[in-house]
Amino acid sequence: MNLMRKQKPYGEVYALGQHISMSAHKARRVIDQIRGRSYEETLMILELMPYRACYPIFKLVYSAAANASHNMGFNEASLVISKAEVNEGTALKKWKPRARGRGYPIRRPTCHIRIVLQDTSLYEYEEYFFCLKKGEWKNKYKDMTCHDMYNSGGLWDKK
């Protein structure tokens, strides 16, 4: 465990892409498919989807994972996309010449995409230490479950 992980154990790592030349609506169509999924599953989905928005989103997810492994020391296998948002950016405005000397305005929309990754192995460590603190930890046969002495696991067992 390196020093950065000890200082900020619950840190989230993100990558931000600004002024990407596509509509925010088209990027949201792809972002909604990957929100809440694991890092490896996300890369497979983005490689196989037929939309043009997949390539810049793929690059951002890959960059966020590189930030997580390099800056925070997280393992890429335990990363999950916790937040993914698309905001509208500034529109590029041009004039296209038309008939009889007139001009026709063209708007090229841009968007800002933010991908936030979170390490799920930290929550497993938290549950482990919480069970150790309560004194209910059973380490027999490497069983990684927290056993509650008042609850048998039935439907009507309420505290």
Side-chain angles (χ1 to χ4, degrees):
M1 198 184 273
N2 68 12
L3 185 62
M4 288 297 289
R5 192 166 176 179
K6 288 181 183 176
Q7 289 174 355
K8 280 178 89 175
Y10 299 109
E12 293 179 338
V13 182
Y14 70 94
L16 179 64
Q18 292 185 327
H19 306 291
I20 296 173
S21 179
M22 76 178 63
S23 170
H25 180 72
K26 293 176 183 175
R28 281 190 196 112
R29 178 172 56 183
V30 176
I31 286 288
D32 290 339
Q33 298 295 321
I34 65 169
R35 191 177 290 122
R37 295 186 187 261
S38 68
Y39 167 69
E40 295 166 346
E41 187 180 1
T42 299
L43 292 183
M44 287 191 299
I45 288 172
L46 289 175
E47 284 178 357
L48 297 173
M49 286 180 82
Y51 302 119
R52 189 181 75 112
C54 292
Y55 183 67
I57 293 172
F58 178 86
K59 284 174 47 174
L60 278 172
V61 170
Y62 193 78
S63 174
N67 291 343
S69 64
H70 183 266
N71 298 341
M72 301 292 283
F74 294 153
N75 186 10
E76 289 182 353
S78 62
L79 293 175
V80 172
I81 297 180
S82 61
K83 294 178 194 171
E85 59 185 22
V86 179
N87 298 322
E88 290 184 6
T90 57
L92 189 82
K93 296 172 186 170
K94 299 191 287 186
W95 289 92
K96 184 173 183 179
R98 300 297 286 210
R100 294 165 61 180
R102 298 185 182 176
Y104 183 75
I106 294 177
R107 291 181 70 248
R108 294 286 310 268
T110 62
C111 64
H112 307 315
I113 303 173
R114 181 181 173 119
I115 305 287
V116 180
L117 296 177
Q118 198 168 23
D119 193 12
T120 57
S121 65
L122 295 174
Y123 293 112
E124 294 171 6
Y125 291 135
E126 180 184 273
E127 291 175 8
Y128 171 75
F129 289 119
F130 180 71
C131 291
L132 278 178
K133 192 175 182 182
K134 287 176 69 176
E136 300 167 0
W137 181 255
K138 292 186 179 180
N139 201 9
K140 196 173 187 181
Y141 305 114
K142 304 289 185 199
D143 186 18
M144 298 280 295
T145 57
C146 182
H147 300 284
D148 191 2
M149 58 188 270
Y150 298 111
N151 189 357
S152 63
L155 181 63
W156 301 105
D157 288 339
K158 303 239 180 192
K159 290 185 179 180

